[in-house]
Amino acid sequence: MSKLLLNLRHVPDDEADDVRAFLREAGIAFYETPPSPFGISAGGIWIEDRDRHPQAKALMADYQQRRRERARAEHAQAQRDGTAETFLGLLRRRPLFVLATLAAIVFVASLVLLPFVLLGL
């Protein structure tokens, strides 16, 4: 019986390609399910042999650790170079987006607090 290794919702293409590559390299049989047309399921990568699933999970954990370290190193380098995205940089580049987002946050917060204000609590 098959076992899900990776749900493909919000998974970048390069990460899914890397997962496929290390599964092929390890000789672990897998298959993919496509996303549903209405967005209910995002698809996934399944391990065909349930007994190989722990090995695939260990490979996945090792891959994710390496990817996390690489992403953190890239972010730290971007911060040192001054190219990392900041709030002020986003405000300068997309002021309408930032102001609309802040207005939406204030609106939602006021809706949440409205019952308390009306009840005088």
Side-chain angles (χ1 to χ4, degrees):
M1 174 167 258
S2 301
K3 194 151 178 151
L4 181 67
L5 176 68
L6 180 64
N7 182 338
L8 293 175
R9 186 174 308 277
H10 305 298
V11 174
D13 290 338
D14 67 317
E15 183 175 356
D17 291 341
D18 289 346
V19 170
R20 291 180 199 104
F22 75 67
L23 288 174
R24 283 188 193 102
E25 189 176 298
I28 298 174
F30 68 94
Y31 65 93
E32 291 185 54
T33 53
S36 69
F38 301 109
I40 295 171
S41 168
I45 296 178
W46 297 76
I47 304 302
E48 289 183 11
D49 184 6
R50 193 177 201 107
D51 296 334
R52 301 285 308 265
H53 189 260
Q55 179 188 5
K57 291 280 282 189
L59 290 170
M60 185 71 174
D62 181 52
Y63 168 74
Q64 286 178 332
Q65 178 65 32
R66 285 183 282 125
R67 186 173 175 96
R68 178 177 28 256
E69 289 169 1
R70 186 177 68 237
R72 286 183 177 166
E74 289 170 0
H75 181 68
Q77 183 63 40
Q79 283 181 324
R80 284 191 295 275
D81 295 343
T83 58
E85 179 138 55
T86 63
F87 178 75
L88 290 177
L90 183 62
L91 182 62
R92 275 189 228 109
R93 202 167 28 87
R94 298 181 64 191
L96 291 176
F97 171 77
V98 172
L99 293 176
T101 303
L102 290 175
I105 291 170
V106 168
F107 176 72
V108 170
S110 65
L111 285 179
V112 169
L113 295 175
L114 183 64
F116 296 102
V117 172
L118 291 177
L119 292 174
L121 298 177

